[in-house]
Amino acid sequence: MKEKLKEIMIEEWNEDLKNLVPREIKLENITGKATVLTGIRRCGKSTHLRVFIRNKKRPYFYINFSDERLSLLRAQDLGLCHEAFYENKPD
């Protein structure tokens, strides 16, 4: 399962997001607080989050748990996400 997670992370890091339609959305950063992005289905919430994270120029991982390759992932396996990231993170 960890190898599948690594594969998914590499795909995310290598995915080209340059052809996206830019959106004028301002996310307010409040230290110590979570940011919640809500909206109707398929309006670009996940894509905006991915672009936002990439622009921070920090190591990150983004996993879409709807990915069929993760259908066998169990709650007790979630620690593997963290392990896969640190074994595989880009510089």
Side-chain angles (χ1 to χ4, degrees):
M1 182 59 64
K2 191 190 307 184
E3 293 307 313
K4 284 183 188 176
L5 287 164
K6 287 180 180 182
E7 176 184 319
I8 291 168
M9 287 178 189
I10 289 170
E11 286 175 13
E12 165 63 25
W13 292 327
N14 292 330
E15 188 173 351
D16 184 10
L17 299 180
K18 293 177 185 162
N19 294 324
L20 300 175
V21 176
R23 306 280 189 227
E24 300 259 348
I25 301 172
K26 183 178 180 190
L27 295 177
E28 187 176 346
N29 186 15
I30 302 172
T31 303
K33 300 290 182 181
T35 299
V36 178
L37 185 60
T38 63
I40 61 172
R41 284 191 57 182
R42 303 196 49 83
C43 69
K45 298 178 299 289
S46 296
T47 302
H48 181 74
L49 177 63
R50 290 166 60 207
V51 171
F52 177 78
I53 291 170
R54 284 188 185 187
N55 288 338
K56 291 290 186 184
K57 306 277 191 246
R58 291 179 168 165
Y60 74 95
F61 67 90
Y62 174 93
I63 297 175
N64 180 350
F65 289 102
S66 296
D67 189 316
E68 292 180 8
R69 294 173 288 180
L70 299 177
S71 63
L72 299 178
L73 186 71
R74 301 168 304 175
Q76 56 265 38
D77 296 331
L78 290 177
L80 293 175
C81 297
H82 193 258
E83 290 176 26
F85 173 71
Y86 280 103
E87 289 176 13
N88 215 32
K89 74 177 182 177
D91 294 326

